[in-house]
Amino acid sequence: MEWFDILIACSMLLLGLLGVLLTLVGLPGTWLYLACALIAQWTTRDVFGVDTPYSWWTIGFGVALCILAEVAEGVSGAAGAAKAGASKRALVGAAIGGLLGAIAGTIFLAFLPIIGTLLGGALGAAIGSVLLEVSKNKELRKSHSLRNVATGAAIGRLLSTVIKSVFAIALLLLFTIAALL
């Protein structure tokens, strides 16, 4: 193992930690980390004249993990609201509200770095699902099912963030260890 291999592994570890943090705040940290791995793959031989840090099988596995992370995030986020009996319209409201809430939580709860984003995303998903559920069916305004829809959307949003973060950690381990081998 040469010094350059260790430098690549340390760089990928730091970039991987950044990717996990970006994923926790609702940004595409997995895809940005994969882009960093591709840049490392392409530049090492062409720019520095050394062997590439990864096999193309490793890169392909990283792409598969990113795709699985997106699918898992989408399914788990919608599953929480759907399990509570939400309409398709409420699922759209949960997705849009979750995204807008995460952005608002990051801005207005900046003194709570990751927690603000998570809380904002969960509250935004709950509010978005309720607003669109009520807009579809006016009789639901007094119903207890709205609370269930909101709770399901919020829990689904939190669960989707946790699941995607696990995939981000898997990518971090994959690319850091592969750079050392």
Side-chain angles (χ1 to χ4, degrees):
M1 182 177 309
E2 296 185 26
W3 68 271
F4 197 78
D5 297 327
I6 295 171
L7 177 65
I8 292 288
C10 289
S11 298
M12 292 309 292
L13 176 64
L14 292 174
L15 290 169
L17 290 172
L18 179 64
V20 171
L21 288 174
L22 289 173
T23 301
L24 281 171
V25 297
L27 295 173
T30 54
W31 292 104
L32 292 173
Y33 187 50
L34 178 64
C36 291
L38 286 170
I39 290 168
Q41 180 75 356
W42 287 322
T43 59
T44 49
R45 177 171 287 149
D46 296 339
V47 176
F48 300 106
V50 297
D51 288 337
T52 58
Y54 308 115
S55 71
W56 287 106
W57 287 104
T58 304
I59 297 291
F61 190 66
V63 170
L65 282 175
C66 286
I67 292 170
L68 285 172
E70 295 300 323
V71 170
E73 180 185 32
V75 168
S76 64
K83 188 173 181 179
S87 65
K88 290 180 183 177
R89 187 179 232 175
L91 297 179
V92 170
I96 294 170
L99 179 63
L100 294 176
I103 293 169
T106 302
I107 294 169
F108 296 114
L109 298 174
F111 57 92
L112 299 170
I114 293 174
I115 296 170
T117 304
L118 292 174
L119 285 174
L123 287 173
I127 292 169
S129 66
V130 167
L131 287 176
L132 288 186
E133 189 74 25
V134 167
S135 72
K136 179 183 178 201
N137 189 351
K138 305 287 185 196
E139 296 170 8
L140 284 176
R141 290 185 182 185
K142 297 177 183 174
S143 172
H144 292 291
S145 66
L146 283 180
R147 184 177 346 130
N148 295 340
V149 168
T151 302
I155 290 172
R157 173 68 185 189
L158 290 173
L159 184 61
S160 70
T161 301
V162 169
I163 289 171
K164 193 165 182 185
S165 296
V166 169
F167 277 99
I169 291 168
L171 278 171
L172 179 145
L173 293 173
L174 171 72
F175 288 125
T176 302
I177 292 170
L180 290 171
L181 298 178

